[in-house]
Amino acid sequence: MDDLLSLKKAFLDEISSVSDLTGLQNIRTKYSGKKGLVTSKLKALSSIPPDERPLYGSTLNEIKNFIEETLKNKEILLKENEKEKRLQTEKIDITLPGKFTPFGREHPINQVLSEIKDIFVSMGFSIEEGPEVELDYYNFEALNIPRHHPARDMQDTFYVSDDVVLRTHTSPVQVRVMEKKKPPLKIIAPGKVYRCDADISHTPMFHQVEGLMVDTEISFSDLKGVLELFIHSFFGKNTPVRFRPSYFPFTEPSAEVDIGCIFCAGKGCRVCKTTGWLEVLGCGMVNPKVFEMSGYMPDEYTGFAFGMGVERMTMLKYSIDDIRLFYENDLRFLKQF
Ligand code: DAH
């Protein structure tokens, strides 16, 4: 019997000092395993004298059960401890600020471009496109801009070769569309244009929106109506508008459209050079020569055209005084739109 008591005592010593699951597994093998101490005692039961055997046997059985029970409980306890330890080391601070993903947004020029397109589309205009690398023919010749015209000056135009340029305006799209389609026409052509120029109000690349409406009875009052509606939608319905005679080779008569100065409300200031008016776009009745070169019969059709600078419209709308701000990519500027 003494051997059983010391077995139990040895087990208790070991189990009380074990602190991890591997240690516990070793104890289990040592006592309850196939070749363990308890198992071998059970196997040796027959060598115990018959009169001592019942008591010895039942005590051994109790010890066996006790050891198994204790191992089970200890295992639960150790697993619990290990989980607790893991939770401690993996603890996250939910009060720390999260990782911030900044959102992008549309560039102000594209926002205004969309707004301009929406206004004209709502009036029934459709959208056309043309190439940015353009033939001299479409950019100048077919628009009745003769060889000596200042717009062809080497200072202003980026020449790719003798007869290929980076388009200096969106007007060539007028001719390209007329060559392909028969009237009635009601189109706008937004896009990038290029001029060799850079200062507070010029960048080498900027955007324009061209407009063209052609049918059998289009008059100057149609032009006025469409552009007034556009300006009132874009700048607000109380904006004063005036048409001032001007000159463009591709329109006759030609006009420039002014709006009441938004900086001084028409009183006269530095921006409007004390006139109280700001120029916003160019327009006119399509020159019969342009119709002719596009393959339209000039006595059959009339039409109007207009062209505006998107950067200029944006600067006027938001009182921005330097065009270069659009292309410096300073987020402090861009985030305001
Ligand atoms: N193409 C002209 C420019 O870039 C703007 C313009 C003026 C376009 C009058 C037109 C127009 O269609 O009729 O300065």
Side-chain angles (χ1 to χ4, degrees), residues 25-75:
Q25 189 53 36
N26 291 339
I27 299 174
R28 176 176 283 126
T29 315
K30 181 173 171 185
Y31 288 89
S32 307
K34 265 189 202 150
K35 291 177 185 161
L37 295 172
V38 175
T39 323
S40 56
K41 292 258 184 250
L42 282 168
K43 278 181 189 156
L45 209 53
S46 56
S47 65
I48 303 293
D51 54 331
E52 289 175 22
R53 211 179 287 160
L55 182 61
Y56 188 92
S58 66
T59 310
L60 178 56
N61 219 27
E62 265 169 38
I63 290 176
K64 176 179 174 274
N65 290 340
F66 170 79
I67 286 179
E68 279 168 5
E69 190 72 11
T70 310
L71 283 168
K72 224 188 283 168
N73 291 338
K74 189 76 182 186
E75 183 178 347

Side-chain angles (χ1 to χ4, degrees), residues 22-261:
T22 341
L24 186 73
Q25 189 53 36
N26 291 339
I27 299 174
R28 176 176 283 126
T29 315
K30 181 173 171 185
Y31 288 89
S32 307
K34 265 189 202 150
K35 291 177 185 161
L37 295 172
V38 175
T39 323
S40 56
K41 292 258 184 250
L42 282 168
K43 278 181 189 156
L45 209 53
S46 56
S47 65
I48 303 293
D51 54 331
E52 289 175 22
R53 211 179 287 160
L55 182 61
Y56 188 92
S58 66
T59 310
L60 178 56
N61 219 27
E62 265 169 38
I63 290 176
K64 176 179 174 274
N65 290 340
F66 170 79
I67 286 179
E68 279 168 5
E69 190 72 11
T70 310
L71 283 168
K72 224 188 283 168
N73 291 338
K74 189 76 182 186
E75 183 178 347
I76 294 170
L77 192 78
L78 287 178
K79 278 190 173 159
E80 198 56 41
N81 284 350
E82 287 196 358
K83 189 168 137 196
E84 194 58 38
K85 240 189 273 170
R86 215 179 47 236
L87 287 179
Q88 285 297 328
T89 55
E90 288 175 0
K91 203 165 165 184
I92 49 170
D93 183 353
I94 57 164
T95 65
L96 282 173
K99 280 186 189 144
F100 175 68
T101 313
F103 280 105
R105 69 185 75 204
E106 213 178 15
H107 191 278
I109 293 300
N110 280 331
Q111 288 182 33
V112 167
L113 207 44
S114 302
E115 193 182 339
I116 295 172
K117 285 194 260 185
D118 283 351
I119 296 171
F120 283 106
V121 166
S122 78
M123 289 194 257
F125 284 75
S126 56
I127 295 172
E128 292 285 345
E129 280 180 359
E132 288 170 28
V133 181
E134 183 58 286
L135 289 172
D136 178 283
Y137 173 77
Y138 287 109
N139 197 78
F140 297 124
E141 205 76 39
L143 289 166
N144 192 36
I145 302 175
R147 284 270 160 205
H148 59 263
H149 195 278
R152 290 195 173 202
D153 198 311
M154 296 298 247
Q155 304 279 306
D156 271 44
T157 306
F158 288 111
Y159 278 89
V160 177
S161 68
D162 271 353
D163 34 65
V164 179
V165 301
L166 296 188
R167 68 178 179 191
T168 58
H169 52 180
T170 42
S171 303
V173 185
Q174 288 186 33
V175 181
R176 285 185 173 273
V177 171
M178 286 193 280
E179 280 182 347
K180 274 196 312 235
K181 297 183 181 171
K182 288 266 145 282
L185 269 188
K186 212 175 167 189
I187 62 110
I188 56 164
K192 291 185 168 69
V193 300
Y194 302 85
R195 283 182 209 177
C196 190
D197 207 353
D199 59 35
I200 189 167
S201 51
H202 299 87
T203 46
M205 183 282 298
F206 60 104
H207 297 78
Q208 282 189 341
V209 175
E210 192 77 14
L212 175 69
M213 183 164 179
V214 184
D215 207 340
T216 48
E217 282 172 13
I218 301 294
S219 68
F220 201 90
S221 53
D222 294 314
L223 168 63
K224 286 189 76 178
V226 165
L227 289 181
E228 269 175 21
L229 195 58
F230 164 70
I231 282 167
H232 287 154
S233 310
F234 188 80
F235 288 110
K237 64 178 185 324
N238 296 321
T239 312
V241 186
R242 76 173 183 187
F243 287 73
R244 181 167 41 77
S246 185
Y247 171 77
F248 297 102
F250 32 91
T251 44
E252 183 58 38
S254 302
E256 264 162 315
V257 176
D258 296 341
I259 58 167
C261 180

Side-chain angles (χ1 to χ4, degrees), residues 299-318:
D299 47 0
E300 219 175 307
Y301 299 112
T302 53
F304 67 76
F306 59 88
M308 69 186 88
V310 181
E311 279 75 359
R312 180 162 174 82
M313 300 293 279
T314 312
M315 289 168 79
L316 292 175
K317 184 159 179 142
Y318 295 110

